[in-house]
Amino acid sequence: GAIGTEPARQGQGHATALLATVLAVCDETAVGAYLEASRPDSARLYERVGFEHREHFDPKSTGLDGPDL
């Protein structure tokens, strides 16, 4: 599902804390995870918590189901 941070709460570490908690559970249970960043700010956040940019997604394209995990 999608998550977001209220604009007034952005830049306070809330998204980083949420991602860290969810990613710890993924690590503990050996579950893969991927993210789709719709904005450059989101992409930078994801890189800070350990994700790496893999490919550029064109939202006008069709047939993309996401990366293999």
Side-chain angles (χ1 to χ4, degrees):
I3 60 169
T5 305
E6 290 284 338
R9 303 284 187 178
Q10 291 175 353
Q12 299 176 20
H14 299 296
T16 301
L18 176 60
L19 283 170
T21 300
V22 171
L23 294 173
V25 172
C26 289
D27 288 344
E28 292 168 8
T29 58
V31 172
Y34 78 95
L35 295 165
E36 296 175 1
S38 59
R39 298 181 10 226
D41 289 346
S42 300
R44 285 190 292 276
L45 165 65
Y46 302 150
E47 288 173 354
R48 280 199 309 271
V49 296
F51 285 86
E52 61 184 60
H53 182 253
R54 300 292 299 260
E55 67 182 88
H56 177 77
F57 172 71
D58 178 359
K60 295 177 184 173
S61 68
T62 59
L64 182 64
D65 293 326
D68 293 334
L69 297 179

